[in-house]
Amino acid sequence: MRSYKAKAVEPIRLPDRDARTEALDAAGHNVFNLDSEDVYVDLLTDSGTGTMSDEQWAALMRGDEAYAGSSSFSRLRSAVEDVMGFEHVVPTHQGRGAENVLYGTLVEEGDVVLNNTHFDTTRAHVANQGAEAVDCPVDGAWDRSVEGDFLGNFDVEKGRAVAEEVGAENVPVVVTTITNNSAAGQPVSLENIRATANLADELDAWFVIDACRFAENAHFVQARESGQRDRSLAAIAREQLSYADAVTMSGKKDGLVNIGGFAAMRDDDLFEHAKQRAILYEGFPTYGGLAGRDIEAMAVGLREAVEPPYVDERVEQVATLGELLSEAEIPIVTPTGGHAVYVDAGELLPHIPTEEFPGQRLVCELYREGAVRSVELGSFAFPGADRPDYVRLAVPRRTYWREHLEHVAETAAAVREKREEYVGLEIVEEPPMKELRHFSARLESVEE
Ligand SMILES: *Cc1c(COP(=O)(O)O)cnc(C)c1O
């Protein structure tokens, strides 16, 4: 049962097949180059694409646009303190702004940063400091045949071994990303967060949580971790973060807004340093590159994110999409994570070698068959990385109905029917930075 109804609607349309093929060709087989008007169900990302509540829209009007000392900032500070338990907050334009502010303050050239799995922008900010980002996912995190309750966990032994190798004094920060976005959105247990905090303590390092999906993670802890079922989601959400010295947050995820983010911390000195960097890159530290109204909407969204039944319905919707796809015999990662369903394109299209991007072919054909937009997170997006050829179908928050998800599953079934007809793709134009190629490269079908 849905606990909300629509108050504003946005028309969408399904272009006919010829128009879809034309759009796909014009986009160079890269769905980042499509006009959103030509997309029927847009599962490219769940970042900033969700629907705000009427309370959030009302809050926009309350936005205080003062350059300094805005009352909207005070309301954000109260929300962060109540929901996440941090006294100090530095607003930023989005999550990567928070990463720049925090890691730019804590990390130096030659350092090593440990993380269960660095999200792309986190890895880039660590690299930008001249430091090395080392992932410590648990075994099986990348293996579709392995099922587990907390496959997003940080492998503490692995982290300790890396620290011994490079020297604890070179590890200033240990991070855990909840949920573990890059490992199929799998959750992290409270027990594991505690153990990782202890590791950081042993290493005399800061313990940071990438809290983008802290509410979704709390949902999984409540549902799966022993002794947690009867606790409130809000209490679990707070406990998760209570072990961290600081968090980075993208408001576009569990802040339930279209733009915004922040870093939050306990230490007074760290706060002062972070504010200085924020002034340089984001803006005065009571607005951080955001309009007062955006901050206001984020303050409301943060509170809504831990109010039942919001997050239960959200995670269930992702699970429903997974079930519909499984019924259509599409190979997906199970159990589904918090924000997206991951399809194993390598398994669906085994005749297309990984160098010819089976994931990108699947992305293209999902668009051609049903104007569904998804994203490749395999050999095309991560050149040279040893990753499976997954395609991600990310579900925007509070936005689509079951009928849309059924359309996605029917589209995938139609693609599956034709799977033997598909050929691989090759890149014909790419930007100078290989790491960013999936955003703009153009591709063509390989000659048979
Ligand atoms: C989205 C995301 C970020 C970056 O946030 P932006 O708002 O996109 O800059 C960082 N970490 C994780 C886990 C994310 O999902």
Side-chain angles (χ1 to χ4, degrees):
M1 297 267 269
R2 286 279 155 247
S3 62
Y4 50 84
K5 60 179 179 172
K7 184 172 269 184
V9 294
E10 176 183 344
I12 50 176
R13 65 184 185 96
L14 181 65
D16 65 30
R17 177 174 289 271
D18 287 347
R20 299 194 299 262
T21 292
E22 207 173 293
L24 198 56
D25 286 342
H29 293 89
N30 185 338
V31 292
F32 280 98
N33 296 331
L34 289 171
D35 290 337
S36 67
E37 285 180 343
D38 294 331
V39 176
Y40 182 57
V41 180
D42 201 346
L43 306 185
L44 183 67
T45 174
D46 67 323
S47 178
T49 53
T51 302
M52 293 209 298
S53 67
D54 54 351
E55 289 296 334
Q56 287 178 289
W57 281 100
L60 289 180
M61 204 59 231
R62 242 187 350 252
D64 175 359
E65 306 302 341
Y67 190 94
S70 149
S71 58
S72 299
F73 172 71
S74 306
R75 275 186 284 272
L76 175 65
R77 195 174 48 195
S78 307
V80 170
E81 180 142 35
D82 293 348
V83 176
M84 303 176 103
F86 289 88
E87 190 186 339
H88 299 309
V89 56
V90 182
T92 58
H93 74 286
Q94 58 184 86
R96 66 200 67 185
E99 293 173 337
N100 181 26
V101 163
L102 195 71
Y103 298 127
T105 305
L106 296 179
V107 179
E108 286 174 4
E109 197 171 336
D111 285 344
V112 172
V113 174
L114 308 176
N115 198 323
N116 48 354
T117 313
H118 288 80
F119 180 70
D120 320 2
T121 58
T122 322
R123 190 183 308 282
H125 277 291
V126 170
N128 199 38
Q129 291 303 108
E132 193 191 346
V134 177
D135 292 341
C136 307
V138 291
D139 290 340
W142 280 112
D143 186 348
R144 217 171 68 71
S145 66
V146 175
E147 295 221 356
D149 284 342
F150 293 103
L151 285 175
N153 278 356
F154 189 114
D155 188 328
V156 176
E157 286 316 312
K158 218 179 273 178
R160 188 174 285 120
V162 173
E164 270 166 23
E165 202 182 302
V166 302
E169 68 283 5
N170 296 314
V171 182
V173 185
V174 175
V175 189
T176 205
T177 305
I178 62 170
T179 54
N180 193 343
N181 187 347
S182 303
Q186 296 294 313
V188 178
S189 70
L190 267 183
E191 189 189 8
N192 185 253
I193 294 175
R194 269 185 233 115
T196 311
N198 286 339
L199 172 67
D201 207 32
E202 273 172 42
L203 303 177
D204 201 20
W206 297 90
F207 181 46
V208 176
I209 292 184
D210 178 334
C212 293
R213 296 186 174 78
F214 77 104
E216 290 165 14
N217 200 75
H219 163 91
F220 287 112
V221 166
Q222 189 184 47
R224 296 180 185 172
E225 194 159 348
S226 75
Q228 300 300 322
R229 191 166 284 274
D230 296 328
R231 295 180 69 201
S232 74
L233 191 87
I236 295 169
R238 265 183 77 112
E239 188 188 336
Q240 297 174 128
L241 306 178
S242 69
Y243 304 107
D245 298 305
V247 292
T248 57
M249 178 72 190
S250 170
K252 304 171 75 168
K253 320 293 169 51
D254 285 352
L256 304 184
V257 284
N258 304 118
I259 194 71
F262 55 86
M265 64 282 292
R266 303 182 202 288
D267 187 81
D268 297 339
D269 199 43
L270 176 58
F271 180 48
E272 289 310 318
H273 280 93
K275 275 195 291 192
Q276 295 313 309
R277 194 165 168 97
I279 292 172
L280 191 59
Y281 288 99
E282 300 289 319
F284 191 75
T286 60
Y287 77 86
L290 294 167
R293 55 182 169 274
D294 294 328
I295 293 182
E296 194 79 46
M298 185 160 61
V300 175
L302 266 186
R303 293 183 190 278
E304 289 180 357
V306 293
E307 262 169 32
Y310 154 71
V311 82
D312 297 336
E313 290 182 19
R314 158 153 186 71
V315 175
E316 268 162 35
Q317 197 176 30
V318 173
T320 299
L321 176 60
E323 282 156 24
L324 293 170
L325 289 166
S326 290
E327 282 163 21
E329 293 179 62
I330 305 296
I332 63 162
V333 175
T334 55
T336 45
H339 67 294
V341 178
Y342 291 73
V343 178
D344 189 340
E347 188 172 325
L348 186 66
L349 306 173
H351 61 287
I352 301 181
T354 191
E355 318 79 69
E356 293 178 7
F357 314 128
Q360 189 63 11
R361 172 53 74 193
L362 175 59
V363 167
C364 289
E365 299 310 319
L366 288 172
Y367 178 74
R368 195 197 310 274
E369 275 309 315
V372 172
R373 182 154 65 171
S374 55
V375 70
E376 197 266 6
L377 293 177
S379 47
F380 178 47
F382 300 102
D386 182 26
R387 292 196 184 211
D389 278 300
Y390 286 163
V391 166
R392 186 185 72 186
L393 302 166
V395 183
R397 296 168 178 77
R398 306 190 288 205
T399 300
Y400 288 118
W401 304 343
R402 188 185 167 93
E403 286 84 345
H404 298 114
L405 305 184
E406 286 169 354
H407 171 78
V408 173
E410 283 161 19
T411 298
V415 169
R416 186 178 177 281
E417 278 294 302
K418 298 181 185 164
R419 64 190 181 281
E420 277 154 25
E421 296 169 18
Y422 302 136
V423 299
L425 289 160
E426 61 187 343
I427 296 175
V428 291
E429 239 180 82
E430 62 183 317
M433 260 185 91
K434 214 176 180 191
E435 292 77 16
L436 302 178
R437 73 180 182 190
H438 69 295
F439 293 116
S440 59
R442 298 176 66 84
L443 305 96
E444 274 174 13
S445 296
V446 295
E447 300 289 331
E448 277 173 280

